[in-house]
Each structure stands twice: as structure tokens, then as C-alpha cells.
Amino acid sequence: MAKSAINVGDLDAHARIVAGSLALLGGLAALDPFFQALGFLTWILCAVMMYVGALLAMGGFRDGTAAFGFPLLALAILDAWLPLIHKGYWGLIGGAILALGAFQTAVTRICPINTLLGVNTTAKSA
């Protein structure tokens, strides 16, 4: 199988790093020990995740940031709800998976989702 071409630009790569970092922090904040001690901070972090996820999702498919904006929105809701039922470790697992995908595509600059949607964010916009 041929290697995909580079299709992740600078802005898109930075957005993925921010989304991955927030996903990992949100997963850690959803764990029971942290939530039991500082639950309000968990919800503040989830609100920040929702805000950044909405900004990335509104960037749309043209900028390539929606590929990580929508999952970040879903993860923010899960990270706020899962600690209430003492299943916060699922939030950490989801955050780690999202962060792994975000960091990998930011470093390699190759995203299969962008290839599927026909998006190339490497072109500089004027």
C-alpha cells in the first residue's frame, strides 16, 4: 500500500496538539481520586474542553480541525459524566486514544481522516 501524502498543515497540527493535551488532562481529571478531591476543577476542565472542541469544530472540515473538535466535544461530556458513576478510567482510556491519534498525526503530518475527506491543510491561506 502506498504511503499517503502529507496533508496536515501547521495550524491543523497545533490544533491537534492542543486537543490531544486537553483530552489527556480531561481523562486524568476524570479518575476517581482526582474527582473526589477536586471535582469542581474536573468540571472546569471539561468546560474548557467543550469550548476548545467547539472552536475546532466550527473551524470546519476545510481547516482540518473538525476531525479532532467533534471527538473532543464528546470526550468532554463523557469526562464530566463518567466520574459520577465511578467509571472515570474509561475517560482516561478515551483521552489516551484521542491524544495518541492527535500527537501521531501532528508529528507525521499524515491524517487518514483528511485523506478520506479530501482535505489538505498544508496550503497556506491568504
Side-chain angles (χ1 to χ4, degrees), residues 111-126:
C111 179
I113 298 171
N114 284 6
T115 304
L116 181 66
L117 296 174
V119 176
N120 186 357
T121 62
T122 59
K124 298 216 186 258
S125 58

Side-chain angles (χ1 to χ4, degrees), residues 1-24:
M1 185 172 193
K3 188 174 178 180
S4 298
I6 292 175
N7 60 3
V8 174
D10 290 335
L11 176 67
D12 193 7
H14 291 301
R16 288 166 195 255
I17 290 172
V18 169
S21 300
L22 283 174
L24 202 54

Side-chain angles (χ1 to χ4, degrees), residues 68-104:
F68 281 87
F70 290 121
L72 190 62
L73 282 169
L75 191 63
I77 294 169
L78 285 175
D79 283 345
W81 173 65
L82 287 172
L84 296 175
I85 60 170
H86 304 288
K87 303 280 186 195
Y89 54 87
W90 286 109
L92 179 61
I93 292 170
I97 291 171
L98 186 65
L100 179 69
F103 295 147
Q104 179 190 10

Side-chain angles (χ1 to χ4, degrees), residues 41-82:
L41 288 178
T42 300
W43 288 334
I44 290 173
L45 183 59
C46 289
V48 170
M49 288 171 58
M50 289 196 72
Y51 178 72
V52 171
L55 285 177
L56 295 179
M58 282 190 294
F61 296 102
R62 189 192 74 193
D63 294 333
T65 60
F68 281 87
F70 290 121
L72 190 62
L73 282 169
L75 191 63
I77 294 169
L78 285 175
D79 283 345
W81 173 65
L82 287 172

